[in-house]
């Protein structure tokens, strides 16, 4: 699965992070290995469950956060997200509102790299496309994180994704986030 430019609007306007990502995926729901070149940072990240995760040549690891309250989450509103549907918007805001801080980077791939590097603790996004998250999910898992990917109706590539530090996963489930 290839995303030639995740965060394309960021890239075009110089408004934030963007990346090129490539992932080896089993079926449409299991990213196995990912490689990401972060354009603004000029770094190469790569990894998967069986090999670990790396930023250039240095190993990276998820945070050790244990509680949703007190943690930082990344998310966003992709083009397909129904921001005009109050119930959908309220449900999403209810989930991310349980965290202490919310960050929206404009690039799913770069948000997932921040989880893998331990700079943020979780990532949640609705109606995101598989190519936006596949490489990042593999790298998060290689860095010691956990994730869930649930396909959505409308497109076989559209999904709901939650990724987080493994130490945070139990609290995420207890709070009904994943």
């Amino acid at each position: 699965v290839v995303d030639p430019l995740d965060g394309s609007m960021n890239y075009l306007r110089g408004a934030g992070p963007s990346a090129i990502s490539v992932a080896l995926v089993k079926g449409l729901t299991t990213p196995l290995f990912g490689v990401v070149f972060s354009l603004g940072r000029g770094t190469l990240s790569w990894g998967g469950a069986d090999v670990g995760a790396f930023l250039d040549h240095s190993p990276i690891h998820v945070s050790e956060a244990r509680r949703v309250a007190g943690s930082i989450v990344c998310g966003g509103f992709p083009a397909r997200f129904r921001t005009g549907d109050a119930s959908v918007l309220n449900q999403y805001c209810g989930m991310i509102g349980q965290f202490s801080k919310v960050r929206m980077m404009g690039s799913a791939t770069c948000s997932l790299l921040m989880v893998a590097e331990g700079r943020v603790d979780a990532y949640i996004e609705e109606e995101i496309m598989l190519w936006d998250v596949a490489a990042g999910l593999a790298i998060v898992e290689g860095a010691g994180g956990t994730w869930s990917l649930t396909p959505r109706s409308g497109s076989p590539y559209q999904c709901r994704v939650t990724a987080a530090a493994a130490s945070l996963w139990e609290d995420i489930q207890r709070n009904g986030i994943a």
Side-chain angles (χ1 to χ4, degrees), residues 14-63:
S18 57
I20 300 164
S21 66
V22 179
L24 174 64
V25 177
K26 180 179 178 184
L28 292 177
T29 58
T30 311
L32 302 173
F33 185 79
V35 178
V36 174
F37 181 71
S38 298
L39 295 165
R41 294 171 67 189
T43 56
L44 186 70
S45 301
W46 53 279
D50 295 333
V51 296
F54 300 85
L55 174 61
D56 292 325
H57 299 290
S58 300
I60 55 175
H61 304 282
V62 297
S63 76

Side-chain angles (χ1 to χ4, degrees), residues 17-117:
S18 57
I20 300 164
S21 66
V22 179
L24 174 64
V25 177
K26 180 179 178 184
L28 292 177
T29 58
T30 311
L32 302 173
F33 185 79
V35 178
V36 174
F37 181 71
S38 298
L39 295 165
R41 294 171 67 189
T43 56
L44 186 70
S45 301
W46 53 279
D50 295 333
V51 296
F54 300 85
L55 174 61
D56 292 325
H57 299 290
S58 300
I60 55 175
H61 304 282
V62 297
S63 76
E64 295 181 14
R66 298 198 179 285
R67 306 270 315 172
V68 168
S71 294
I72 302 171
V73 64
C74 280
F77 300 111
R80 291 148 306 283
F81 190 82
R82 295 171 289 161
T83 55
D85 184 330
S87 66
V88 170
L89 189 58
N90 286 339
Q91 180 183 10
Y92 182 71
C93 289
M95 284 187 299
I96 64 173
Q98 296 178 59
F99 291 83
S100 290
K101 295 287 184 179
V102 178
R103 298 290 180 253
M104 295 188 177
M105 304 295 161
S107 167
T109 301
C110 294
S111 294
L112 286 163
L113 288 180
M114 290 181 69
V115 174
E117 293 174 32

Side-chain angles (χ1 to χ4, degrees), residues 110-169:
C110 294
S111 294
L112 286 163
L113 288 180
M114 290 181 69
V115 174
E117 293 174 32
R119 295 191 290 151
V120 301
D121 307 302
Y123 166 83
I124 302 169
E125 197 145 353
E126 297 278 351
E127 312 301 332
I128 193 72
M129 301 306 275
L130 178 64
W131 50 80
D132 291 321
V133 296
L137 290 174
I139 295 169
V140 165
E141 188 170 4
T146 303
W147 55 266
S148 67
L149 182 152
T150 307
R152 291 295 197 216
S153 61
S155 166
Y157 306 107
Q158 200 167 328
C159 50
R160 178 188 193 282
V161 172
T162 303
S167 57
L168 186 58
W169 199 254

Side-chain angles (χ1 to χ4, degrees), residues 66-67 98 168-178:
R66 298 198 179 285
R67 306 270 315 172
Q98 296 178 59
L168 186 58
W169 199 254
E170 186 178 320
D171 202 42
I172 282 175
Q173 290 179 311
R174 183 177 21 257
N175 285 288
I177 297 169

